[in-house]
C-alpha cells in the first residue's frame, strides 16, 4: 500500500558516489527552488493550508520546513568544509514546524530563501575538488557522514518534499 | 583615533531590556535587509570588490558574511525557543568568508536571502510572549545568553556591517 | 523538418474560449516564472550566452525578451480592462533585445520580474467576471483582440520561449 | 499649509541637465527599490491598508501604483531609445489603482518587481551616450519630453511616493 509520507520512497544511502552521481545531486539542488515553486504555483491560501496527507503538515508547513531543513544543511556543509569532522547539532523539526512563521507565513518567503540559499550552496559544491566530497561530519543521530552522503540525503530530501505537494495536487485534481 | 573596524563602536551588552528595547531591536532586524540593500545600491562590480578598510573584507564579503552570520543566528534563536538552554555551535567566520561563494557571488543573492530570513525571524520574534525573551542558550565562546541579549547582539551586528559599507562610500565619495 | 524557432509550433488562435480554456491559460501564466526558472537552473554564464538556435537570440536574451514582452502584455491587458477598446502600441522587440541590459544582465533579474509581474497578472485575471474576457483592444499589427485571445497568445508565448531553452538543453545534453 | 499630497513639493522640470544631474537622477532610480522597501519595513497588514492621507490611496496602493507607473516609464524610455519621437500612451492611474491586485496584493510583489525593473533601467541609462538623453518622446498630456526630462520626472516620482509612506509613519509615530 502506498505510504503518503514517502511518495518517492525512503532515503537509501548509495554505496558509492561517482562524479556523475555528484553532478546529478548538485543539479537537483540547483533545480529545487524552481521545482518547489512550480509545485506551489497558483495554489490558493486555502489550498496552502491543506495537509499534504491526513494528519500531516500543511503544504505551507512543508515549504517552510524545507527552507528550515536546508538552512541547517547549508550550515552543516560549511562546517564540514571549514572544520575537521565537526559534530553538528540536530534540530527539533516537529517543534520548528509548529512555530508561527512556519504555520502562517507566505510561502513566497521560503521559496525566495531557498532560491538564494541553493544558489550559494550550488556555487560552493560546484567548486569543490573531488577529495572534498570525502570530508566528514558527525551527526549525533545518523552517525558519521561524508559530504557525498550528505549531498545524497538532500538530493532525496528536495525531491521528497516537492513530491508531497505534487502528489497532493494530483490526488485533489488541483 | 577612529577604528574603521568599528564604525558604530563595539557591541556593549545592555544591562536591562525593556519592551521598548525589544521593539527597537526587532525594528532594526525588520529594516536590515532594506538598509543593507540601500547601502549597496548602484555599486559597480569593482566597488563591490573593494575592501571596506585596508586589509579587511570586500564589500561583497561583508554582505555574504552578514547573511551567513544571520543564518546562524536564525537557527540558534529557534534552538533557544525549541529546546532548554541548548549549546550552540560557533562557526569559523574567517574561513567561511574566504569560500568561493562568499568571495564572488552576486550580492543580490545574500540580500534576497536576508530579506526572506529576516521576515521569518521578525514574525517569530514579534509573536513571543515577554517570558520567552528570558530563554537561554549557551554559546561556547560568549557564555550564557538570553534571547534578549542575543537580539541586542544582532541589532548591533546589523548596524555594524551596514556601517562598514556606508562609511566606505562616504570616505570614497561613492 | 523541425523549425527550431517554433519548438511548440506557431500560435494558432482558438476559435472559442470556454471557462476551462481560460483556467488553463491562467495556470500557464501562474507557472511560467517557475518553468522558465527551472529551464535556466544550473546553466553557466557561457551557456546563458549561447544562441538557442544558430543565428538566434542567446538564452539570456530569450529570458529578458520574455520579461519585456510580458511587461508590455501586462500593461495592454490593464489598458483593455480600464478603457474602451484602446489602441495599444507595439514595441520593436528586435531592437529591445539588443540593448545592453537584454544582452548582458543576470537572468535572475528578469526571472524575479516575471515572478512578481505574473503574480499580479494572475490575481487580476482570476478575479474577472466572464464578460470581461470579451473586452477588446486594438493591436495595430494583429487587429482587434479580445482579452480571451490576448490571454491565449501569452499562454502560447510563455510555453514558446520556455521551450527554446529546454529544447536547446536537450540538444546539447546540458 | 502643508499639502499632504506633495510632501516633497510638485514636480518642477529643470531648465538644464548636466552630467551630474543625470548621475544623481540615475542614483535615485538605483536606490528607489531599497528606499521604498525601507519605508514599508515592519508595517502590519492594517498599517498597509491605511490611507497615506485622508481620502488618499492606502500605503499598499501607493506601492503598487509606483510599480505600475514605473513599468510604464520603463517601456516609454525604451520606446524613446528604439524609435524616433514615439507617441506614448498614458494610462488611467486612478482606475488601475482600484483593481484587485493594486488594492490587496502583498507589497512584496511590487517591491520585488521594482527591484528587478530598476536594475534593468539603471543598467540601460548608465550605458547611454550623452546624446541619447536628448532623444524625445511625445506624451499626449505633457507634450514633448526628452529622456533627460523624463528621467527628472521619475527621479521626483520615486522620492514623491516614498515620502508619502515615510511622512505617514512620522505623523502616526509608526
Amino acid at each position: 500500500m502506498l505510504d503518503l509520507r514517502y511518495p518517492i520512497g525512503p532515503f537509501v544511502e548509495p554505496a558509492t558516489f561517482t562524479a556523475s552521481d555528484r553532478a546529478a545531486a548538485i543539479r537537483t539542488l540547483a533545480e529545487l527552488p524552481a521545482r518547489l515553486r512550480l509545485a506551489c504555483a497558483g495554489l490558493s491560501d486555502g489550498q496552502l493550508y491543506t495537509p499534504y496527507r491526513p494528519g500531516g503538515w500543511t503544504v505551507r508547513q512543508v515549504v517552510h520546513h524545507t527552507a528550515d531543513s536546508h538552512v541547517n544543511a547549508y550550515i552543516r556543509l560549511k562546517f564540514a568544509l571549514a572544520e575537521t569532522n565537526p559534530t553538528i547539532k540536530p534540530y527539533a523539526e516537529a517543534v520548528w514546524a509548529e512555530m508561527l512563521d512556519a504555520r502562517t507565513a507566505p510561502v513566497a518567503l521560503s521559496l525566495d530563501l531557498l532560491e538564494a540559499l541553493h544558489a550559494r550552496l550550488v556555487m560552493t559544491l560546484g567548486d569543490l575538488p573531488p577529495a572534498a566530497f570525502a570530508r566528514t561530519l558527525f551527526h549525533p543521530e545518523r552517525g558519521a557522514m561524508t559530504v557525498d552522503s550528505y549531498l545524497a540525503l538532500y538530493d532525496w530530501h528536495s525531491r521528497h518534499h516537492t513530491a508531497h505537494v505534487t502528489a497532493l495536487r494530483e490526488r485533489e485534481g488541483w
Side-chain angles (χ1 to χ4, degrees), chain A residues 14-28 125-134 148 151-152 155:
Chain A
T16 57
F17 302 92
T18 65
S20 116
D21 293 333
R22 278 166 205 150
I26 292 172
R27 181 159 183 162
T28 299
L125 290 165
D127 184 52
L128 294 182
F133 290 91
D148 260 333
L151 184 51
D155 173 346

Side-chain angles (χ1 to χ4, degrees), chain A residues 104-118:
Chain A
T104 69
V107 293
L109 287 181
S110 284
L111 294 171
D112 287 353
L113 196 161
L114 285 163
E115 189 80 39
L117 188 83
H118 277 231

Side-chain angles (χ1 to χ4, degrees), chain A residues 53-88:
Chain A
R53 66 170 173 84
W57 286 335
T58 64
V59 172
R60 195 180 300 270
Q61 285 174 302
V62 167
V63 173
H64 292 312
H65 160 73
T66 304
D68 282 343
S69 166
H70 292 205
V71 159
N72 276 283
Y74 169 86
I75 283 186
R76 293 166 184 180
L77 181 88
K78 294 220 159 165
F79 283 148
L81 297 176
E83 305 171 30
T84 301
N85 197 32
T87 296
I88 60 88

Side-chain angles (χ1 to χ4, degrees), chain A residues 100-147:
Chain A
L100 181 72
D101 59 331
R103 279 187 291 108
T104 69
V107 293
L109 287 181
S110 284
L111 294 171
D112 287 353
L113 196 161
L114 285 163
E115 189 80 39
L117 188 83
H118 277 231
R120 290 194 57 190
L121 196 53
V122 164
M123 201 169 173
T124 304
L125 290 165
D127 184 52
L128 294 182
F133 290 91
R135 294 184 68 90
T136 56
L137 59 76
F138 184 78
H139 189 304
E141 289 160 4
R142 291 176 177 274
M145 298 185 77
T146 59
V147 169

